[in-house]
Amino acid sequence: MAEEDQELLHLFLVMEKGMASSRDRSEAFFSYLEKMFSVSLKEMEAFINGFHSEMKKGLSGAESSLKMIPCFVDRPTGSERGDFLALDLGGTNLRVLAVTLDGKRSSTISATHKFVIPKEKMQGTGVVLFDYIAHCIDLFLTEYQMDRGKNYDLAFTFSFPVEQMGVASGNLITWTKGFTATGVRGRDVMVLLREALRRNHIQCINLTALANDTVGTLAAGGYVDPACDLGVIMGTGTNACYRERIGRIGRVKSAYDGEYMIVNLEWGNFDGVARTFYDRILDQNSVNPGAMYLEKMVSGMYLGELARIVLLDLIKRDLILVNEPTAGACFTEKRSFTTEDMSRFEGDTGEGLEKIASFFREKGIPKVPFHERKKIKHLCSILSRRAAGLGAAAITAVLSWMDPQLDRGHTVAVDGTLFEKYPGFKAGMRHVFKSLLGDKAEKIALVHTKDGSGKGAAIIAAVAAAVRSPKK
Ligand code: ADP
Ligand code: MG
């Protein structure tokens, strides 16, 4: 337990001694939780300073919790035009899309097909997986009667950790999300895809760019809005990429023709953030202890789990769901409470908090008193407020790195269901911008930008194709 947490707990235990009712004890514990999870302005500022120093180290190629992966491509100008393809390998689905860019900041998806990836393809050999991907592309080309005599530029959105070597090459660092296909780790996934296309006699495709969801989101935002220079994901995980001046990216040694390059921060791994006793439990129980500290405090994959851990502790201390002997058993299993549940709880604005009541009824706890339902909703808000606040602090850090005085307006393209659907998440972020920046907070526009991994990736293909064959 961190020293400060311990001090607070001690205070609570002293207070508790004089308290007769469990209701009073519970009130006191909640104010303890409030303090524990609140991030003061001073702490936010320290977070931002720490973020800058990790960015600096990462950009130079030194050891850092921020990987700062160069993407070898710049933001679009908005004048890119033509037909491009995107191949989106996210988790359980594979999507193939054709996107038309009109050269005037507008784009349309002209064709799309979603394929389910069978488990045996995910967990067999790399050859089996990539042959399946090529097969799906083949079906797509046939379905939409695409002209196989043409040459289509395609961007591959590959949402797994990759060390990029160029705009169209990158080695898989490790599989995640249940994929285990052999012979892929450490290899260039674009080479594997190219070989599969060749094996399957598909000749009309240029593998033009390798992208991830943050880069696609920035591209989709930047195509419509020239002020967009930061792309952020707040969904299952959290990450961001931004536009960096090439002179500041010391780790790029190869030739690059341009003044700016997109850099993928991999910010979920930022470790300069104060953690509570509960964050430590979550980390220890996770599959990757010691890593992804920021992601574990901010993203959808973990928020619900953190709430579950706190809730279980409250139940064990007899501070909530008292007189309900089965309550503990409902929350002992990992992920038995999710971010979606939290989102539903916070979205329950009805006077009786009926949605919360029905959640517990379904768990076999029929009579949760109103004041306890209110408390559990409050717990969710304590955790989601911190998540939104830290997300906003990370955004502020990157914006102030690019533009220290915030002299110009910045559009931040944000995608992810957490940002889109969690009640009050965006407002919580705006609140922190205001506290940190005062009136300058008005310079930041947060724009929900959908389909970075589809439309956005196709835009990246267009940018990369333009670099390959510049207009005379
Ligand atoms: P991904 O990040 O995998 O591309 P999404 O952006 O759709 O996918 O994010 C999915 C995550 O969003 C889920 O892991 C879940 O934690 C969270 N989530 C799902 N539904 C909601 C909701 N209604 N409100 C808030 N968060 C949600
Ligand atoms: Mg996504």
Side-chain angles (χ1 to χ4, degrees):
M1 199 185 289
E3 250 170 56
E4 273 176 35
D5 296 349
Q6 227 160 3
E7 220 168 88
L8 278 168
L9 182 60
H10 177 71
L11 267 177
F12 164 71
L13 293 172
V14 170
M15 276 192 308
E16 188 193 36
K17 283 214 169 93
M19 290 174 186
S21 77
S22 71
R23 222 160 143 167
D24 288 346
R25 290 171 55 234
S26 173
E27 296 283 346
F29 200 84
F30 263 82
S31 40
Y32 155 63
L33 284 177
E34 278 257 13
K35 284 207 192 75
M36 190 181 197
F37 284 101
S38 72
V39 187
S40 68
L41 201 54
K42 221 170 116 196
E43 286 167 320
M44 291 273 183
E45 281 160 359
F47 175 103
I48 291 170
N49 288 334
F51 210 91
H52 285 169
S53 95
E54 291 294 284
M55 284 178 78
K56 196 169 170 183
K57 279 194 278 177
L59 284 170
S60 75
E63 187 76 30
S64 167
S65 66
L66 294 175
K67 276 212 180 74
M68 311 300 289
I69 300 172
C71 297
F72 298 90
V73 68
D74 192 7
R75 184 184 61 173
T77 59
S79 62
E80 293 80 3
R81 52 179 300 179
D83 298 318
F84 297 88
L85 299 181
L87 176 67
D88 177 13
L89 182 66
T92 43
N93 293 311
L94 174 76
R95 263 191 324 158
V96 189
L97 310 90
V99 178
T100 304
L101 310 179
D102 75 351
K104 293 182 206 135
R105 300 200 173 277
S106 171
S107 60
T108 46
I109 296 177
S110 49
T112 172
H113 195 125
K114 201 186 228 177
F115 302 88
V116 174
I117 306 172
K119 206 167 173 188
E120 72 267 16
K121 311 282 183 199
M122 290 162 68
Q123 304 187 341
T125 66
V127 170
V128 164
L129 174 65
F130 281 88
D131 273 345
Y132 178 71
I133 296 174
H135 172 66
C136 294
I137 295 176
D138 205 18
L139 289 176
F140 175 86
L141 294 171
T142 304
E143 181 183 353
Y144 288 100
Q145 299 172 352
M146 311 273 293
D147 183 353
R148 291 184 190 238
K150 273 193 179 169
N151 255 316
Y152 295 99
D153 285 302
L154 177 144
F156 184 22
T157 315
F158 184 73
S159 300
F160 300 91
V162 159
E163 179 63 45
Q164 237 171 301
M165 286 89 68
V167 66
S169 67
N171 292 340
L172 174 67
I173 298 170
T174 178
W175 279 123
T176 54
K177 302 186 248 192
F179 280 69
T180 55
T182 53
V184 185
R185 235 183 75 187
R187 301 275 316 270
D188 185 341
V189 294
M190 293 294 264
V191 170
L192 297 178
L193 180 57
R194 190 169 299 120
E195 288 171 356
L197 291 177
R198 203 171 298 143
R199 276 197 301 277
N200 290 272
H201 314 289
I202 301 169
Q203 285 151 359
C204 58
I205 285 176
N206 296 327
L207 295 181
T208 308
L210 179 62
N212 76 10
D213 46 2
T214 62
V215 177
T217 301
L218 172 54
Y223 192 69
V224 297
D225 179 353
C228 179
D229 49 14
L230 179 57
V232 174
I233 299 291
M234 286 180 171
T236 306
T238 184
N239 187 20
C241 71
Y242 73 110
R243 211 175 171 228
E244 181 59 285
R245 248 181 279 132
I246 190 73
R248 296 218 287 194
I249 319 176
R251 58 177 292 190
V252 170
K253 308 281 186 237
S254 43
Y256 176 75
D257 198 13
E259 204 185 332
Y260 288 91
M261 187 190 280
I262 296 174
V263 172
N264 164 16
L265 288 126
E266 290 293 335
W267 83 14
N269 193 49
F270 179 61
D271 64 5
V273 54
R275 296 181 308 144
T276 71
F277 150 69
Y278 296 108
D279 295 305
R280 283 164 216 273
I281 297 177
L282 180 139
D283 180 51
Q284 281 152 18
N285 292 345
S286 71
V287 294
N288 51 354
M292 307 300 278
Y293 285 170
L294 185 62
E295 179 154 290
K296 285 171 181 167
M297 295 167 143
V298 171
S299 82
M301 180 160 175
Y302 297 103
L303 262 184
E305 182 62 6
L306 189 61
R308 179 192 72 84
I309 290 169
V310 181
L311 202 54
L312 194 61
D313 189 44
L314 287 167
I315 295 169
K316 282 190 181 148
R317 291 179 195 270
D318 240 344
L319 294 169
I320 207 137
L321 304 177
V322 281
N323 309 322
E324 292 290 352
T326 60
C330 296
F331 297 102
T332 33
E333 213 166 284
K334 271 190 195 171
R335 307 197 198 297
S336 49
F337 192 63
T338 65
T339 305
E340 242 178 298
D341 294 328
M342 290 174 73
S343 179
R344 208 168 313 128
F345 280 26
E346 285 210 59
D348 187 353
T349 48
E351 246 174 61
L353 298 180
E354 264 314 306
K355 284 185 197 155
I356 301 180
S358 87
F359 170 89
F360 284 103
R361 260 198 306 278
E362 278 165 28
K363 292 258 180 201
I365 312 172
K367 287 194 200 91
V368 179
F370 179 74
H371 73 91
E372 292 207 334
R373 279 179 255 158
K374 226 165 91 180
K375 282 235 174 75
I376 296 167
K377 182 175 170 183
H378 181 49
L379 167 65
C380 295
S381 79
I382 290 175
L383 301 180
S384 68
R385 208 187 311 142
R386 184 183 68 158
L390 292 175
I395 288 174
T396 307
V398 184
L399 293 179
S400 61
W401 173 266
M402 286 190 276
D403 177 11
Q405 300 305 319
L406 247 58
D407 290 325
R408 41 178 215 275
H410 297 268
T411 298
V412 183
V414 193
D415 194 14
T417 306
L418 180 69
F419 176 79
E420 183 188 358
K421 298 217 173 125
Y422 202 105
F425 208 84
K426 186 174 174 180
M429 292 174 75
R430 289 235 65 100
H431 178 76
V432 169
F433 291 146
K434 185 84 188 154
S435 324
L436 282 167
L437 302 166
D439 288 347
K440 290 228 165 165
E442 302 303 319
K443 300 246 181 180
I444 306 174
L446 287 180
V447 178
H448 180 219
T449 307
K450 266 185 165 326
D451 204 16
S453 53
K455 245 189 204 186
I459 295 167
I460 288 292
V463 178
V467 171
R468 185 190 57 216
S469 24
K471 283 199 201 97
K472 300 277 154 26

